[in-house]
Amino acid sequence: MLLYGFVKLVMKAFLRAFHGFRATGQENVPMDGALIVVANHASMLDAPALGCAFPRQILFMAKAELFRNPFSRALLMAVHAFPVKRGQVDREAYRRSMEILKEGKVLGIFPEGTRSKTGDMQQAHPGAARFALQTGTPVVPAAIVGAHKGHKRLYGKAGRFGVRVAIGKPMWPVRSEDGRVTREEIDDFAQRIMEQIQRLMSVA
């Protein structure tokens, strides 16, 4: 936790100095209990920016390829990120995600699965919605604006880019009365999550 706090402090100073970083909506975050925080993904700055904006420690799910580089692996391990293998059923990543939620911690997921090359939002994978519905965990949507190279905006006279994070209110999953989770419920909740992120992008 101390190392996470140190990395967060250094990264926040970097983002403020070179990217005009600012965040809103921290008051929407419940300070106790399990949460799933989700956001759009278009830049390598997204995870650091979201981590700096969020008032609680986030345990990010990160693509396994990032753990191959010794430097990025060390950084990811320092902030307790864990790998997920894309394009296949990763049982270990699933187990770790469920463990995080059972412990009342914050799981961080980028539902699009990979960075958008254009900066426009892509279709969501069902993972975040499925975890929420299976465990009854609320989802906190967040929008990251200004990090993608095609969407950067000038910030001040120095011409710095403004990276902004807007955090929305929790979204509670609603399951059917018999407790079963259907694919239709997962897809519907995933769509509503992405729609909320899109709204937040317009006000960030």
Side-chain angles (χ1 to χ4, degrees):
M1 185 63 179
L2 288 175
L3 182 56
Y4 183 91
F6 174 74
V7 172
K8 181 175 180 177
L9 186 67
V10 172
M11 185 56 65
K12 185 178 290 187
F14 167 78
L15 288 171
R16 283 176 173 170
F18 296 99
H19 295 279
F21 172 74
R22 56 190 172 90
T24 58
Q26 290 94 335
E27 69 279 1
N28 293 323
V29 180
M31 296 307 293
D32 295 299
L35 294 174
I36 301 172
V37 57
V38 298
N40 57 302
H41 193 24
S43 167
M44 289 293 289
L45 290 176
D46 292 337
L50 184 57
C52 289
F54 216 73
R56 294 175 60 184
Q57 180 176 351
I58 302 175
L59 286 80
F60 281 104
M61 180 185 289
K63 63 181 181 180
E65 292 86 343
L66 293 175
F67 288 81
R68 295 174 184 170
N69 179 282
F71 176 77
S72 62
R73 176 183 175 84
L75 182 60
L76 289 166
M77 295 295 287
V79 296
H80 304 289
F82 62 98
V84 59
K85 298 174 183 177
R86 298 185 297 174
Q88 60 181 284
V89 177
D90 190 334
R91 298 187 183 281
E92 180 59 26
Y94 177 84
R95 183 199 64 78
R96 179 60 182 139
S97 298
M98 296 297 284
E99 186 178 74
I100 289 168
L101 298 178
K102 288 179 181 178
E103 292 173 352
K105 297 178 181 178
V106 181
L107 174 65
I109 299 177
F110 293 107
E112 295 162 288
T114 189
R115 295 194 306 273
S116 168
K117 295 181 180 180
T118 64
D120 297 327
M121 288 183 63
Q122 307 170 93
Q123 185 174 357
H125 291 280
R130 179 181 289 114
F131 284 134
L133 285 162
Q134 288 179 339
T135 62
T137 303
V139 171
V140 175
I144 304 165
V145 178
H148 185 265
K149 62 182 181 180
H151 288 183
K152 289 176 178 176
R153 299 180 181 179
L154 293 179
Y155 180 85
K157 296 181 179 179
R160 295 170 182 160
F161 299 126
V163 175
R164 303 177 303 288
V165 177
I167 301 171
K169 295 181 179 180
M171 301 174 65
W172 292 86
V174 179
R175 290 183 287 185
S176 56
E177 293 182 1
D178 59 13
R180 292 185 300 175
V181 178
T182 67
R183 183 55 190 257
E184 183 179 356
E185 289 173 330
I186 292 171
D187 290 343
D188 178 68
F189 193 44
Q191 180 62 32
R192 290 197 291 116
I193 289 170
M194 298 306 285
E195 289 173 355
Q196 186 59 29
I197 293 174
Q198 187 72 63
R199 290 193 202 93
L200 289 167
M201 289 180 71
S202 67
V203 299

